Amino acid sequence: MEKADRRTEPAPLGCVVMASGLGRRFGGNKLLAELGGKPLIRWVLDVTEGLFARRVVVTRHPEIEALCRRQGVEALLHGLPWRSGTVRLGLEALGPDWKGYAFFPGDQPLLRRETAEALVRAMLEEPAYIWRPAWGEEAGAPVLFPRWAYEELTALPEGQGGRTVVRRHQERVRTLPAQDFELLDADTPGALQALAQRLEAGGLDFR
């Protein structure tokens, strides 16, 4: 199968990279842990590079902010305690005028560029729906929300995230097929080691 052509122009969508986790289960700032020769956060920065008209990384970590700025990536440093606050800050930084908004977790490194591009195309072609990747019956991140979800996302109840909006509008959720490894995250050192083993074993198609 031929490789999918990469977009030559950024999509008229906003992108929020969620990089505010405290890493309690990991035992530290997991986004700086190395995988495949680069920090974990670099994987999501690479896969989203040039794909969106505007992208912002929302983080509590000065080290992540500094890394992003060295890469020329917009970053927003904050001290808010709840996920709802980080979602709101990211959306307010992007503004309400985009056709949709993508939320990428900072600790899901093996998402393929091909999958990210397919989600973007789906949002542009059918912008009424919430779009997610899925392996079989298991849907995961990233999640792309239409413009109509902006107000709901900026008014999330304290401590809740975008899943609240997803659950509220299940009839508007659509999924695209992804590989199982694309949905894996690195919540613990063991999970990161498992990702490294998958990467070292080869056979992962990152088109």
Side-chain angles (χ1 to χ4, degrees):
M1 183 180 295
E2 294 183 359
K3 292 186 177 182
D5 292 335
R6 294 199 172 193
R7 295 184 57 87
T8 56
E9 296 182 1
L13 306 172
C15 174
V16 179
V17 176
M18 302 290 284
S20 294
L22 296 175
R24 292 190 178 96
R25 294 177 61 196
F26 194 86
N29 189 352
K30 60 185 174 182
L31 298 182
L32 294 178
E34 186 173 293
L35 177 69
K38 59 186 179 182
L40 200 62
I41 186 66
R42 276 282 308 279
W43 288 82
V44 68
L45 297 183
D46 289 348
V47 83
T48 57
E49 177 67 30
L51 193 53
F52 299 94
R54 189 171 175 194
R55 176 178 56 159
V56 60
V57 177
V58 183
T59 184
R60 293 188 181 96
H61 306 288
E63 302 90 346
I64 298 297
E65 181 196 29
L67 182 151
C68 290
R69 295 199 183 281
R70 288 196 299 271
Q71 296 290 123
V73 178
E74 182 180 357
L76 177 61
L77 184 66
H78 72 95
L80 298 181
W82 302 110
R83 189 174 184 85
S84 52
T86 63
V87 170
R88 177 177 53 79
L89 285 177
L91 288 174
E92 289 178 349
L94 293 172
D97 298 325
W98 302 106
K99 291 185 176 180
Y101 299 86
F103 287 83
F104 281 73
D107 64 347
Q108 190 177 313
L110 300 187
L111 182 78
R112 298 179 300 163
R113 175 75 175 211
E114 180 184 43
T115 300
E117 289 177 339
L119 288 164
V120 166
R121 287 195 299 271
M123 173 58 72
L124 295 178
E125 292 169 5
E126 298 186 75
Y129 298 112
I130 298 168
W131 288 96
R132 309 180 68 184
W135 165 253
E137 297 298 318
E138 180 183 357
V143 183
L144 277 66
F145 291 93
R147 169 61 186 83
W148 58 255
Y150 183 90
E151 283 76 17
E152 289 188 52
L153 289 166
T154 55
L156 288 169
E158 188 175 272
Q160 298 187 26
R163 290 181 183 178
T164 301
V165 177
V166 171
R167 288 193 295 267
R168 191 180 296 154
H169 299 286
Q170 279 294 325
E171 77 286 354
R172 297 191 183 187
V173 178
R174 298 291 185 272
T175 61
L176 291 178
Q179 298 298 313
D180 61 338
F181 58 82
E182 295 185 82
L183 306 185
L184 300 176
D185 58 26
D187 273 348
T188 66
L192 181 62
Q193 183 178 7
L195 289 171
Q197 290 171 348
R198 293 292 297 267
L199 194 61
E200 291 168 5
L204 306 186
D205 182 2
F206 285 99
R207 289 178 301 153

